[in-house]
Amino acid sequence: EDKVVQSPLSLVVHEGDTVTLNCSYEVTNFRSLLWYKQEKKAPTFLFMLTSSGIEKKSGRLSSILDKKELFSILNITATQTGDSAVYLCAVDSLARGGSQGNLIFGKGTKLSVKP
Amino acid sequence: GAVVSQHPSRVICKSGTSVKIECRSLDFQATTMFWYRQFPKQSLMLMATSNEGSKATYEQGVEKDKFLINHASLTLSTLTVTSAHPEDSSFYICSARGKTGPPYGYTFGSGTRLTVV
C-alpha cells in the first residue's frame, strides 16, 4: 500500500530557529514529490521535486529529494511567526493502471513558531 | 498563476438535505479534478478523481451514491453531498490539473467547510 510518512507530527520553535521537516514515502509509480503549506484553508504550493539531489530554494525555504532512500526534507531558516502552519508532503503517483496521477498526502507537520 | 475557485466557502445545512459544492478552474482547462476531505487535525484524504466527460473514480470506502461528482466541462466540477448527516461535516477541497496548467501540476481550491446540523 502506498504511503507517505511525515515527521515530526508537531514542532514548536522560537523565532530565528532553523527547522527541518522530514517526509519519507513508499509509492509505486513515483512521479514527483510536492510540499505544501496549509494555514486555515486550502494548501498553498511550495515546491515540486522530481530529481534527486537538486535543491529547490525559495527565500528561507529549501527542499531536496533523495529518490534512492525515498525521502525529502524541507528546511526553514530564520523562522518567523508567519511560518506557523501545517506543512504537507504529498507524492504524485500514476494511478493504478491509469495515466492519471493522484496525490498521496502525509499527515503533515504542525509547526508553531513562538515570538 | 493558475486559479481554482471553490464555492461556497462555508455552508451549514440540515440533516437529510443535499449540498452542492462547485469547483472552477478560472484560467486553464482542468482535464482532471480531485476531491478531498479533511477532518480536524488530519491530512487530506482523496475521495474521488474525475476526468471531464467521464464518470468519477472513487476511492475505496467512499460511497458514490452519497458523494455525486459531475465533471461536465473542462472548467467545472461539482460535488454533491446527498442526504447529508452530521458525520459528513468536514472540510472539502478540490484540486485541478490541466494539460497546460502550472508546472507543479495541481492547483487547489480554497475549500468548503460543511457543517451538518
Side-chain angles (χ1 to χ4, degrees):
Chain A
E1 183 184 336
D2 294 341
K3 61 181 179 181
V4 177
V5 178
Q6 290 186 247
S7 64
L9 291 181
S10 67
L11 189 56
V12 180
V13 300
H14 287 95
E15 274 192 314
D17 289 350
T18 294
V19 297
T20 299
L21 309 183
N22 304 292
C23 176
S24 64
Y25 62 91
E26 291 178 31
V27 173
T28 53
N29 297 315
F30 173 92
R31 186 148 66 177
S32 62
L33 185 144
L34 299 94
W35 283 97
Y36 291 89
K37 178 181 181 181
Q38 186 176 27
E39 294 171 271
K40 301 234 168 147
K41 291 196 172 180
T44 52
F45 170 80
L46 295 176
F47 298 110
M48 182 178 79
L49 304 156
T50 55
S51 302
S52 281
I54 300 174
E55 186 182 50
K56 296 252 178 132
K57 282 183 73 78
S58 176
R60 296 176 293 102
L61 277 67
S62 63
S63 184
I64 197 162
L65 173 67
D66 185 327
K67 290 169 74 173
K68 184 179 176 187
E69 299 297 328
L70 308 183
F71 79 91
S72 174
I73 59 172
L74 173 69
N75 277 323
I76 307 175
T77 59
T79 51
Q80 302 171 357
T81 55
D83 295 327
S84 297
V86 174
Y87 290 84
L88 295 169
C89 171
V91 174
D92 182 7
S93 76
L94 291 173
R96 320 169 248 297
S99 60
Q100 52 180 307
N102 65 275
L103 291 182
I104 302 163
F105 281 88
K107 292 189 175 179
T109 294
K110 182 177 180 181
L111 175 65
S112 299
V113 181
K114 304 292 186 188
Chain B
V3 177
V4 172
S5 173
Q6 185 173 343
H7 293 282
S9 58
R10 302 182 74 94
V11 58
I12 301 173
C13 71
K14 289 186 177 179
S15 190
T17 61
S18 295
V19 173
K20 181 185 280 188
I21 302 169
E22 287 192 353
C23 186
R24 292 180 186 272
S25 57
L26 298 185
D27 49 4
F28 68 101
Q29 292 185 325
T31 51
T32 308
M33 289 274 200
F34 304 89
W35 286 94
Y36 297 85
R37 67 187 297 182
Q38 185 177 35
F39 291 106
K41 300 184 182 178
Q42 298 289 316
S43 191
L44 286 87
M45 299 298 295
L46 180 67
M47 298 174 67
T49 304
S50 72
N51 289 307
E52 183 262 341
S54 61
K55 288 184 179 179
T57 302
Y58 289 80
E59 294 299 299
Q60 196 170 15
V62 178
E63 299 175 59
K64 58 182 69 176
D65 293 332
K66 181 169 185 62
F67 298 100
L68 300 179
I69 291 172
N70 185 283
H71 192 168
S73 76
L74 282 171
T75 58
L76 175 64
S77 177
T78 60
L79 167 67
T80 302
V81 183
T82 62
S83 187
H85 290 286
E87 57 264 32
D88 297 325
S89 298
S90 187
F91 190 54
Y92 293 86
I93 309 176
C94 67
S95 168
R97 190 180 68 201
K99 286 184 184 177
T100 57
Y104 39 88
Y106 298 86
T107 303
F108 284 88
S110 54
T112 298
R113 185 158 305 281
L114 170 64
T115 304
V116 185
V117 297

